[in-house]
């Protein structure tokens, strides 16, 4: 107790008037917290889970419990003390050990890097005396990002990892959040003394990335509601989920921005601080037991950063472990933190409460001046030491000696519950753990996913439709591009006749039209690339299945393809004068739709493999050019060498091209070359018709067949044979094209399984 009192003048853990004023959000919400001087003196801090808080706020919203539909009043005042009786009858951090203790011991992690040439190293050592004093690790093939890091984070506290850029803050957070392959990570991580299983950690934890990854056209309330539908079990009614969302909006201080879209560079939306709190909200909607955050205050002003950490303190006081990295906290933020871990190049330079910073650096010989932010002083000193040849080794060794001198942790402060019992007790107290249903009483019975895949697919589809319909300009641009392409082709190939020249022009039209369908699909490439990080974040902690996302992605993208297909067919079919009547037109629409389906599937698959937009466009254009080359238009199948024939059958353009060719020419009674027309496109084509007729008479005499100017020389079937289009019917080509679309979407699913592990190696 004395170590917390000795600096009471600087670190008064009670709320200052300014901090209390910050508790008043813009909508009038006031949540009082009794800030303890220390965990041992937390007798006034009642432990209330977010689940219990949500329940009471939900009742306040409806006026009659969770099933009411009355609209919430604009201003609410919540006092956590009134929930004390329902929170366990006086159960608090001061009267019992914490339920959850996350401990990590001797965590080490290294990555490989290219070895520098020995000649360059010798030259540098000979000319640079500072380099000669550098540690040998600088020239090794591995770089150590974490070096024997130990510590523990407790329920009800904020554990903050601090350090300069490159010190290993994010790496440590990733290690604790199981975002590093365990084979690459040395050391142990336990929860309540038991090894933490990766599957269970995904269920009971959440990870808030440094970047705000949100759908820009959804409102704050919609964003949180979709997250609730993903994370909360289906046993909860829709009204209860809405109540929890409304409670979380109040908890995050987002009431006035609830109906404002998130926004992006083009569309104006919420502020940066509000956006960050929404990012936190979507990951705490299911009330996780452990919350990891990677620099949640990065890029925010002082007030917004303080409000974010204030929200995190409330989350911790509700019965969660909050572990965050922070670059350089302000004095007000420092007063909200419970445990600090300073890192320097992957090594611990300080571990303990904020109150111990003065004593620590004073004993080290660098006392912190009065009226100076202790963290700023500590980070400046660490940077200064890192600039020396020996680095911060002296500070690291001093911290080790201090840790060895300190007595072992008192056993009473450790949790006495097993992990299974602790999770069951937490759920029974009202924790809304994802996958926990009303009958859940232990960790083993918590499901991997909160909802079945058809519910996930429905929610994903609804979210994508909602976000897409608010950006109609995107579809309008696609439609305009298709209509413009169709208009250009229709005016160039206007009313083609049935002459040999018309046949050649039809071949060109079909080749250009079918390949254009695939090139038009390239605009689907950035769609998943823009959503990729959102997908990675949500699936990393089992918000939904990857298969649900793939099916939803296909469902959302299909209706626009129908409209585009009909628009292109109406623009070109009748204007060019294609054959087949209404039946031919319907098939033309179907094969264009199948081409769009296969093309969008191909581009979607590439978006799952190639992670850069410009590189993806280059790959798409190149491969589609190869498809067109081997489609059979430039060179017939019979003329392709055996070592390239396999690419002919892999060409996506081949099957739609052959389908429309058969739709046009598969008629043995329709003639395209008559009498003297056989001389067209030859040197004899410039001769007068009289001479051509005499040539026909000579040919008739020689062949013994009467050939006149009206004799049919080439039918539609003959043209198909000349083009080597004889293996498949037009309906076979249609189904093969559709099958390509399904295959590429299956490959997209496989790429998500293999490429979205979201773990370092």
């Amino acid at each position: 107790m004395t170590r917390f009192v000795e600096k009471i003048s600087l670190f008064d853990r009670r709320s200052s008037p300014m901090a209390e004023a910050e508790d008043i959000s813009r909508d009038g919400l006031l949540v009082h917290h009794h800030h303890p001087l220390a965990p041992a003196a937390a007798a006034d801090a009642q432990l209330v889970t977010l689940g219990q808080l949500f329940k009471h706020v939900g009742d306040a919203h409806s006026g009659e419990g969770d099933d009411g539909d009355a609209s919430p009043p604009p201003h609410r005042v919540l006092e956590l003390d009134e929930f004390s009786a329902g929170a366990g009858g006086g159960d608090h951090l001061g009267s019992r050990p914490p339920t959850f203790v996350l401990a990590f011991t001797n965590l080490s992690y290294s990555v490989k890097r290219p070895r520098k040439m020995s000649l360059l190293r010798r030259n540098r050592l000979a000319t640079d005396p500072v380099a000669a004093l550098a540690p040998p690790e600088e020239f090794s093939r591995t770089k150590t990002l974490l070096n024997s890091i130990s510590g523990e984070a407790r329920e009800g506290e904020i554990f903050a990892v601090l350090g300069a850029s490159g010190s290993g803050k994010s790496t440590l957070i990733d290690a604790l959040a199981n975002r590093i392959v365990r084979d690459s990570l040395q050391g142990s991580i336990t929860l309540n003394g038991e090894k933490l299983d990766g599957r269970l950690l995904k269920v009971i934890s959440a990870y808030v990335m440094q970047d705000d990854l949100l759908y820009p056209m959804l409102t704050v309330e919609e964003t949180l509601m979709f997250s609730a539908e993903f994370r909360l079990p289906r046993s909860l009614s829709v009204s209860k989920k809405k109540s929890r969302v409304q409670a979380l909006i109040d908890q995050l201080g987002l009431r006035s921005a609830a109906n404002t879209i998130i926004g992006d560079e083009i569309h104006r939306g919420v502020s940066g601080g509000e956006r960050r709190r929404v990012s936190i909200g979507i990951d705490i909607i299911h009330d996780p037991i452990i919350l990891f955050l990677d620099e949640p205050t990065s890029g925010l002003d002082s007030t917004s950063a303080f409000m974010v950490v204030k929200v995190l303190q409330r989350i911790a006081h509700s019965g969660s472990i909050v572990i965050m990295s922070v670059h350089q906290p302000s004095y007000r933020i420092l007063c909200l933190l419970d445990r600090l871990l300073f890192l320097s190049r992957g090594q611990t330079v300080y571990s303990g409460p904020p109150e111990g910073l003065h004593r620590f650096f004073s004993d080290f010989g660098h006392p912190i001046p009065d009226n100076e932010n202790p963290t700023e002083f500590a980070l400046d000193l660490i940077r200064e030491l890192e600039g020396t040849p020996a680095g911060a080794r002296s500070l690291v060794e001093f911290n080790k000696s201090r840790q060895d001198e300190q007595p072992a942790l008192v056993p009473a402060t450790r949790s006495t519950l097993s992990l299974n019992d602790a999770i069951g007790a937490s759920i029974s107290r009202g924790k809304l753990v994802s996958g926990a249903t009303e009958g859940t009483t232990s960790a083993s019975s918590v499901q991997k996913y909160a909802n079945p895949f058809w519910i996930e697919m429905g929610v994903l589809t609804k979210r994508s439709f909602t976000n897409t319909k608010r950006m109609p300009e995107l579809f309008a641009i696609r439609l305009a591009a298709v209509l413009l392409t169709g208009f250009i082709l229709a005016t160039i190939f206007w009313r083609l006749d049935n002459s040999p020249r018309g046949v050649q022009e039809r071949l060109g039209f079909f080749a250009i039209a079918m390949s254009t369908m695939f090139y038009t699909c390239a605009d689907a490439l950035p769609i998943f690339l823009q959503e990729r990080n959102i997908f990675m974040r949500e699936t990393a902690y089992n918000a939904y299945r990857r298969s649900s996302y793939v099916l939803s992605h296909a469902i959302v993208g299909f209706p626009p393809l129908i409209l585009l297909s009909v628009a292109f067919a109406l623009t070109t079919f009748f204007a060019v004068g294609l054959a087949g009547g209404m039946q031919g037109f319907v098939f033309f629409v179907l094969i264009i739709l199948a081409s769009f389906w296969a093309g969008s599937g191909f581009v979607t698959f590439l978006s799952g493999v190639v992670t850069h937009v410009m590189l993806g466009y280059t790959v798409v254009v190149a491969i589609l050019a190869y498809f067109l080359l081997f489609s059979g238009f430039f060179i017939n199948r019979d003329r392709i060498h055996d070592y390239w024939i396999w690419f002919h059958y892999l060409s996506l353009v081949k099957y739609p091209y052959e389908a429309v060719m058969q739709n046009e020419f598969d008629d043995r009674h329709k003639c395209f070359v008559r009498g003297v027309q056989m001389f067209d496109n030859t040197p004899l084509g410039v001769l007068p018709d009289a001479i051509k007729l005499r040539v026909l008479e000579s040919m008739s005499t020689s062949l013994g067949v009467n050939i006149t100017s009206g004799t049919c020389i080439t039918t539609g079937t003959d043209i198909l044979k000349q083009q080597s289009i004889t293996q498949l019917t037009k309906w076979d080509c249609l189904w093969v094209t559709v099958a390509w679309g399904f295959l590429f979407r299956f490959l997209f699913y496989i790429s998500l399984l293999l490429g979205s592990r979201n773990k370092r190696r």
Side-chain angles (χ1 to χ4, degrees):
M1 183 66 180
T2 56
R3 65 190 178 109
F4 294 97
V5 177
E6 59 188 2
K7 291 297 180 181
I8 191 67
S9 60
L10 180 60
F11 291 100
D12 188 350
R13 308 296 287 181
R14 295 169 296 179
S15 295
S16 64
M18 181 178 294
E20 288 289 4
E22 290 287 350
D23 281 338
I24 305 176
S25 61
R26 290 166 297 179
D27 59 326
L29 172 68
L30 176 60
V31 181
H32 288 299
H33 290 287
H34 300 281
H35 302 287
L37 292 178
D44 293 330
Q46 305 294 340
L47 189 62
V48 183
T49 67
L50 282 180
Q52 293 166 329
L53 181 60
F54 288 171
K55 180 180 184 301
H56 286 279
V57 178
D59 296 341
H61 285 172
S62 62
E64 54 185 356
D66 291 330
D67 297 329
D69 296 327
S71 59
H75 299 281
R76 281 169 295 280
V77 179
L78 306 177
E79 296 286 349
L80 291 185
D81 291 339
E82 67 182 279
F83 303 139
S84 300
D91 185 22
H92 50 72
L93 288 176
S95 62
R96 63 170 177 84
T99 304
F100 296 101
V101 177
L102 178 68
F104 50 97
T105 307
N106 297 328
L107 291 185
S108 298
Y109 174 61
S110 301
V111 294
K112 293 183 179 181
R113 62 181 178 182
R115 182 188 293 274
K116 297 182 180 180
M117 296 180 60
S118 58
L119 178 61
L120 295 178
R121 179 185 176 186
R122 286 196 298 268
N123 290 341
R124 183 183 174 192
L125 294 178
T127 58
D128 190 351
V130 176
L133 297 176
E137 303 88 50
E138 182 178 344
F139 301 98
S140 66
R141 295 192 62 186
T142 61
K143 179 179 181 180
T144 301
L145 301 182
L146 297 178
N147 188 357
S148 298
I149 307 297
S150 301
E152 70 174 27
R154 305 176 183 179
E155 173 190 329
E157 297 180 349
I158 298 180
F159 182 91
V161 183
L162 297 91
S165 299
S167 61
K169 302 188 301 297
S170 297
T171 304
L172 178 58
I173 298 294
D174 287 345
L176 297 178
N178 193 34
R179 292 165 62 88
I180 296 178
V181 177
R182 285 298 171 89
D183 294 338
S184 304
L185 182 66
Q186 299 177 357
S188 64
I189 302 175
T190 62
L191 186 60
N192 287 19
E194 300 180 23
K195 186 177 180 180
L196 195 54
D197 178 67
R199 175 185 174 277
L200 178 61
L201 180 62
K202 285 186 176 182
V203 175
I204 66 173
S205 66
Y207 186 99
V208 180
M209 296 182 178
Q210 183 174 349
D211 299 325
D212 299 320
L213 307 174
L214 304 168
Y215 283 91
M217 301 309 295
L218 298 181
T219 66
V220 170
E221 184 175 349
E222 289 172 341
T223 301
L224 296 175
M225 189 63 205
F226 282 123
S227 180
E229 292 180 348
F230 285 133
R231 299 281 193 170
L232 300 183
R234 58 174 175 167
S235 58
L236 288 178
S237 64
V238 176
S239 60
K240 289 183 178 180
K241 291 179 181 180
K242 290 182 179 180
S243 296
R244 280 149 177 74
V245 169
Q246 296 301 323
L248 187 58
I249 289 175
D250 291 333
Q251 181 80 353
L252 298 172
L254 295 170
R255 174 55 55 192
S256 62
N259 296 319
T260 304
I261 63 171
I262 300 299
D264 54 16
E265 296 83 359
I266 301 176
H267 307 88
R268 184 177 179 85
V270 297
S271 66
E274 292 169 336
R275 185 192 300 264
R276 186 61 48 86
R277 278 176 276 162
V278 174
S279 298
I280 296 174
I282 60 178
D283 283 311
I284 67 170
I285 189 69
H286 62 299
D287 203 6
I289 294 174
I290 307 175
L291 178 62
F292 301 100
L293 304 101
D294 185 13
E295 299 199 19
T297 61
S298 176
L300 302 181
D301 59 79
S302 177
T303 301
S304 298
F306 175 80
M307 294 181 67
V308 167
V309 179
K310 191 69 176 175
V311 169
L312 297 179
Q313 186 187 55
R314 295 169 185 166
I315 296 171
H317 287 174
S318 72
S320 298
I321 300 175
V322 177
I323 302 176
M324 59 179 284
S325 61
V326 58
H327 183 66
Q328 190 164 327
S330 65
Y331 171 78
R332 291 193 300 166
I333 292 178
L334 182 62
C335 293
L336 303 178
L337 307 179
D338 298 286
R339 291 177 181 269
L340 307 179
L341 179 66
F342 281 83
L343 296 179
S344 173
R345 294 177 180 174
Q347 294 180 299
T348 304
V349 295
Y350 175 77
S351 179
E355 294 82 356
L357 286 172
H358 278 265
R359 177 77 174 272
F360 178 83
F361 285 99
S362 178
D363 293 345
F364 182 65
H366 292 76
I368 300 176
D370 295 337
N371 301 323
E372 184 168 351
N373 188 331
T375 56
E376 293 181 0
F377 175 85
L379 292 173
D380 290 342
L381 178 60
I382 293 172
R383 291 192 191 96
E384 181 180 343
L385 293 175
E386 289 177 346
T388 63
R393 188 179 305 170
S394 59
L395 192 56
V396 173
E397 296 297 332
F398 178 74
N399 176 68
K400 289 182 179 179
S401 64
R402 287 289 298 264
Q403 295 294 330
D404 294 338
E405 294 174 0
Q406 291 182 357
L409 190 64
V410 180
T413 62
R414 291 193 179 276
S415 175
T416 59
L417 295 176
S418 67
L419 179 57
N420 192 66
D421 294 338
I423 294 178
S426 181
I427 294 174
S428 64
R429 291 205 314 270
K431 275 285 186 182
L432 303 176
V433 177
S434 179
T437 58
E438 292 182 354
T440 302
T441 58
S442 64
S444 59
S445 59
V446 176
Q447 300 177 4
K448 183 177 181 180
Y449 297 98
N451 297 285
F453 82 93
W454 62 83
I455 293 181
E456 296 172 351
M457 190 173 63
V459 176
L460 285 167
T461 302
K462 181 180 178 182
R463 182 175 69 174
S464 296
F465 269 127
T466 303
N467 186 69
T468 303
K469 73 180 183 180
R470 292 175 182 169
M471 294 185 290
E473 64 275 7
L474 297 182
F475 176 74
I477 292 175
R478 294 183 64 186
L479 181 61
V482 169
L483 290 176
L484 179 61
T485 302
F487 174 77
I488 293 175
L489 292 177
T491 52
I492 292 178
F493 299 96
W494 180 263
R495 297 294 181 182
L496 299 179
D497 55 24
N498 292 332
S499 65
R501 184 169 298 176
V503 171
Q504 294 299 320
E505 291 171 347
R506 277 179 171 84
L507 298 183
F509 168 76
F510 289 141
I512 297 298
M514 293 302 103
S515 60
T516 300
M517 298 303 97
F518 290 94
Y519 280 108
T520 306
C521 294
D523 64 348
L525 181 67
I527 293 179
F528 175 70
L529 294 180
Q530 292 174 351
E531 299 179 0
R532 183 183 183 88
N533 291 330
I534 299 178
F535 168 83
M536 298 279 282
R537 183 203 68 210
E538 293 177 334
T539 56
Y541 286 85
N542 298 341
Y544 49 80
R545 297 166 180 82
R546 293 169 178 84
S547 57
S548 302
Y549 179 84
V550 174
L551 292 174
S552 169
H553 190 276
I555 292 174
V556 173
F558 189 72
L561 300 183
I562 299 176
L563 297 178
L564 295 177
S565 302
V566 173
F568 183 82
L570 287 174
T571 307
T572 58
F573 186 87
F574 300 104
V576 175
L578 301 182
M582 184 54 62
Q583 290 184 346
F585 173 77
V586 172
F587 183 84
F588 190 68
V589 172
L590 291 177
I591 194 61
I592 292 176
L593 178 60
S595 301
F596 274 128
W597 168 255
S600 61
F602 170 69
V603 175
T604 299
F605 163 64
L606 285 183
S607 69
V609 177
V610 182
T611 59
H612 194 277
V613 175
M614 295 308 299
L615 179 60
Y617 276 125
T618 302
V619 173
V620 168
V621 171
I623 295 180
L624 289 180
Y626 300 147
F627 285 162
L628 179 60
L629 176 63
F630 288 94
S631 64
F633 169 71
F634 294 102
I635 181 171
N636 293 348
R637 183 188 74 246
D638 297 338
R639 301 281 295 172
I640 300 177
H641 292 287
D642 293 340
Y643 49 81
W644 279 121
I645 195 66
W646 59 273
F647 208 113
H648 170 72
Y649 291 102
L650 290 180
S651 172
L652 292 182
V653 182
K654 161 187 165 62
Y655 302 98
Y657 173 70
E658 293 187 359
V660 292
M661 285 285 291
Q662 295 188 66
N663 191 51
E664 181 71 15
F665 295 111
D666 191 13
D667 186 354
R668 66 181 59 193
H669 303 294
K670 187 173 183 178
C671 188
F672 289 89
V673 179
R674 295 180 180 274
V676 295
Q677 288 181 335
M678 64 185 298
F679 300 116
D680 293 352
N681 299 324
T682 69
L684 299 179
V686 298
L687 296 176
D689 290 343
I691 298 178
K692 293 179 183 179
L693 290 175
R694 287 199 295 268
V695 172
L696 287 179
E697 292 176 358
S698 300
M699 293 176 61
S700 300
T701 303
S702 301
L703 297 175
V705 178
N706 185 25
I707 302 176
T708 65
S709 60
T711 302
C712 182
I713 305 299
T714 304
T715 64
T717 305
D718 296 328
I719 294 176
L720 294 179
K721 292 179 180 179
Q722 293 173 5
Q723 298 296 318
S724 300
I725 302 176
T726 57
Q727 292 181 329
L728 300 174
T729 67
K730 67 178 184 180
W731 290 103
D732 291 335
C733 293
L734 174 66
W735 298 126
V736 170
T737 306
V738 173
W740 273 119
F742 282 104
L743 175 62
F744 281 122
R745 282 166 176 83
F746 175 75
L747 295 177
F748 176 56
Y749 169 69
I750 298 299
S751 70
L752 296 184
L753 284 180
L754 300 178
S756 62
R757 299 298 181 185
N758 205 21
K759 285 188 177 183
R760 305 192 195 185
R761 296 189 177 274

